[in-house]
Amino acid sequence: MSPFLARLREKIGSELLMLPSAAGFVFDDAGRLLVARHGDVGLWAAPGGGIDPDERPQDAVVRELHEELGIEIEVRGLIGVYGGPEFRTVYPNGHQVGYVNACYGCALVSGVPEPDGVEITGYRWVTEEELAELRTTPWTPQVAPEAFTWWREHAR
């Protein structure tokens, strides 16, 4: 939890917070998507996280993927910005969050994913069909098809 968010939580407890976030939909040359198992909930999704005060969303996604998986990525474009009931989460500690998520199409520049063991406990490269068989976050089925379409249209 960022210091900013910790200060907010001290004031409001576990009440619902609406937070900006960013996710990186990283594709390899074969069109497989990098997904991460999120340790706090045990679900698979594109990696990402909260946007800090005064941080640009595309900088946040680069930072988050470096912190969580130790990789360097290049942001290639915006897939879309999403929100709604599928983006609400209640964490094991009772904190309620509703995310507005900027989702970016990305490419791996360097590194081999290495989960941080705290926020991220595993990773996989998956096809669209393989992703459908994983236990994912509620928002993944909404965004992933658009992300795969984005990749097919923008692959270089």
Side-chain angles (χ1 to χ4, degrees):
M1 181 181 310
S2 73
F4 170 77
L5 186 52
R7 285 191 307 275
L8 282 177
R9 284 292 179 202
E10 284 176 10
K11 294 176 182 170
I12 66 159
S14 61
E15 292 296 316
L16 176 65
L17 276 176
M18 294 299 297
L19 295 175
S21 63
F25 283 77
V26 181
F27 290 93
D28 67 9
D29 292 338
R32 295 178 306 162
L33 176 65
L34 175 66
V35 292
R37 186 175 52 234
H38 294 256
D40 52 3
V41 292
L43 302 175
W44 294 90
I51 300 169
D52 290 335
D54 299 325
E55 187 175 35
R56 291 176 178 84
Q58 42 292 45
D59 294 339
V61 76
V62 170
R63 175 185 53 77
E64 285 285 344
L65 273 69
H66 180 73
E67 289 175 1
E68 295 177 350
L69 290 163
I71 58 175
E72 301 299 325
I73 61 161
E74 174 187 16
V75 175
R76 297 225 172 135
L78 179 66
I79 295 167
V81 179
Y82 304 87
E86 301 85 3
F87 293 83
R88 282 188 69 165
T89 299
V90 178
Y91 288 98
N93 64 4
H95 291 176
Q96 300 174 60
V97 178
Y99 290 104
V100 176
N101 200 347
C103 297
Y104 291 94
C106 304
L108 182 65
V109 173
S110 66
V112 175
E114 181 67 36
D116 66 6
V118 178
E119 291 187 71
I120 303 299
T121 58
Y123 79 94
R124 293 184 185 178
W125 291 96
V126 297
T127 64
E128 195 165 1
E129 295 76 24
E130 292 167 335
L131 180 61
E133 296 176 12
L134 295 178
R135 192 169 155 247
T136 64
T137 61
W139 60 267
T140 295
Q142 177 184 349
V143 180
E146 293 181 31
F148 278 99
T149 298
W150 180 92
W151 179 84
R152 286 188 290 272
E153 293 173 356
H154 295 91
R156 298 177 209 178

